[in-house]
Amino acid sequence: MRVFVAGSTGVLGRRLVSQFADRGHEVVGLTRDAAGDEAVAARGGEPVRGDLFDADSLALAAEGADTVIHAATAIPSDPQAGEAAWEKNDRVRREGTRALTTAAASVGASQYLQQSIVWVAANDRGDPFDESSPPRPTRITQSAVDAEQISMAASENAPFSTAILRCGVFYAPDAAHTRQFAERLLRRRLPAIGRGPLGRGDVVIAPIHADDAASAFVAAAESEIEGIWHVVDDESVSTRAFLRTFADYLDAPKPLSIPAWVARATVGSAAVSQFTTSMRTSNEPFRAATDWQPTYPTHHEGLRQVVDQWRRDGTLDALRAGSVDPSPTES
Ligand SMILES: NC(=O)c1ccc[n+]([C@@H]2O[C@H](COP(=O)([O-])OP(=O)(O)OC[C@H]3O[C@@H](n4cnc5c(N)ncnc54)[C@H](OP(=O)(O)O)[C@@H]3O)[C@@H](O)[C@H]2O)c1
């Protein structure tokens, strides 16, 4: 199949280009500069220039695509990012989805895949939830829910079906947040968030290694599924256990532990909401519908891979020295 990827140079998109190409599919990656062209070509894709905010460029770039994927994001990597940065991300989600679904319809694509996030349906009580649970958006996640609805509605009058892959919290050697966590853990400046809302036990997150998030998109495309799916590790894990394991692999000091309300008050609720809201959900429906098998079924294997890669390529030393670029373009 011919696959068109918007966001082809990001953490998820880079892997989509490599993995679809490795499976023998033709991949076209939307790019915005020469560095993007190089990154896509190096992974076996064909770079085509365009912008999510330029609808005409998208229709041209997506020509001939069977599958169109929205993997673009403008999530700020600064935890203290202000409203303007989040508004840009909202635009990528809302306007970007409108423009990309319009392009998918105009080129006659048969499938549209949208990246979303599992915590749009997380509840304050920390109860388990699944694909049928009603979304409970926050200021930051409202635009992700809107993008889901825009892409679902678009498929009603278009030749394509829509599948929304709600991914867990990404971690990867080249993900900015993963590097920031490591840098802070090494300095014992990242506390593990302990008690959950209303003191209801540890906050639980649903992580996913970015390699496995990408392979889920390949599985979804090849299985031609539609609807909403949760793509997470085999096990949810408390933020406390996740950070302790990470610190252990990094040979960093054991992180301190603080209650969720203190974290919110200190860093701001937007930035920490994904670490103060429990995400008790499962990948079982997605596994049953596809032949997807995560390479790193739990955070143990996944974080081990992250740290091993950093040891091999010198990133770990650079993190210890505080001299690493948090947003690398190579994986
Ligand atoms: N589920 C999750 O936990 C989740 C989901 C998404 C992101 N994140 C995190 O957020 C951080 C940033 O993600 P990332 O590294 O993928 O972001 P990134 O490196 O900033 O990549 C975002 C992608 O979107 C593209 N893009 C942005 N605006 C665009 C526009 N107007 N038109 C076309 N393309 C556009 C970028 O293209 P250019 O290269 O041309 O800028 C790039 O390909 C990472 O740490 C990641 O782990 C987490």
Side-chain angles (χ1 to χ4, degrees):
M1 71 181 82
R2 186 172 166 92
V3 184
F4 176 69
V5 182
S8 60
T9 55
V11 168
L12 175 63
R14 297 195 278 271
R15 291 168 166 82
L16 292 176
V17 174
S18 312
Q19 293 191 21
F20 273 103
D22 288 351
R23 296 276 300 174
H25 301 297
E26 258 179 81
V27 190
V28 177
L30 186 70
T31 56
R32 297 192 295 173
D33 53 28
D37 296 344
E38 274 174 37
V40 169
R43 289 171 171 79
E46 178 195 337
V48 178
R49 294 282 179 98
D51 195 293
L52 277 176
F53 303 141
D54 175 353
D56 293 343
S57 73
L58 289 180
L60 281 174
E63 216 169 358
D66 304 298
T67 297
V68 171
I69 303 180
H70 189 332
T73 171
I75 292 177
S77 49
D78 177 0
Q80 309 276 11
E83 185 59 20
W86 287 106
E87 279 172 8
K88 191 171 165 209
N89 191 49
D90 292 340
R91 277 191 75 201
V92 170
R93 286 173 172 167
R94 296 194 182 104
E95 282 180 47
T97 301
R98 260 185 223 108
L100 200 55
T101 49
T102 302
S106 77
V107 302
S110 57
Q111 195 178 35
Y112 177 85
L113 303 180
Q114 176 87 20
Q115 177 204 187
S116 191
I117 44 184
V118 283
W119 57 99
V120 295
N123 53 76
D124 292 342
R125 297 175 308 282
D127 292 341
F129 60 95
D130 63 18
E131 286 85 344
S132 65
S133 304
R136 293 169 182 273
T138 62
R139 155 69 191 89
I140 301 292
T141 61
Q142 180 65 59
S143 53
V145 174
D146 293 346
E148 290 186 356
Q149 289 168 353
I150 292 165
S151 59
M152 279 297 182
S155 66
E156 282 168 21
N157 301 311
F160 58 82
S161 58
T162 291
I164 291 163
L165 269 54
R166 287 182 179 160
C167 298
V169 179
F170 285 170
Y171 63 99
D174 51 320
H177 295 105
T178 310
R179 291 183 172 216
Q180 287 169 355
F181 283 1
E183 232 172 5
R184 288 170 178 223
L185 283 171
L186 287 162
R187 284 164 189 68
R188 216 181 185 203
R189 284 177 54 192
L190 184 64
I193 295 163
R195 297 278 111 183
L198 311 175
R200 287 170 194 261
D202 275 353
V203 176
V204 163
I205 57 162
I208 181 82
H209 193 295
D211 287 1
D212 289 324
S215 67
F217 278 77
V218 177
E222 291 180 348
S223 308
E224 298 180 4
I225 54 170
E226 46 190 289
I228 294 177
W229 304 93
H230 287 186
V231 174
V232 295
D233 275 2
D234 282 357
E235 281 176 23
S236 298
V237 57
S238 70
T239 56
R240 196 199 307 247
F242 184 87
L243 292 180
R244 281 187 179 170
T245 303
F246 201 5
D248 185 33
Y249 293 170
L250 289 164
D251 294 326
K254 191 170 150 188
L256 300 166
S257 190
I258 59 168
W261 68 269
V262 174
R264 267 197 217 99
T266 317
V267 192
S269 58
V272 297
S273 67
Q274 76 191 70
F275 292 98
T276 55
T277 307
S278 276
M279 306 173 194
R280 288 192 170 80
T281 193
S282 155
N283 61 26
E284 276 171 29
F286 185 71
R287 270 177 173 273
T290 64
D291 60 1
W292 179 69
Q293 302 264 5
T295 305
Y296 309 105
T298 76
H299 68 288
H300 291 285
E301 299 84 15
L303 288 175
R304 177 58 80 195
Q305 184 274 336
V306 169
V307 176
D308 284 350
Q309 177 160 331
W310 285 346
R311 261 186 234 289
R312 282 195 303 275
D313 67 16
T315 302
L316 190 53
D317 290 336
L319 285 165
R320 284 208 175 95
S323 61
V324 77
D325 173 4
S327 311
T329 52
E330 293 301 313
S331 60

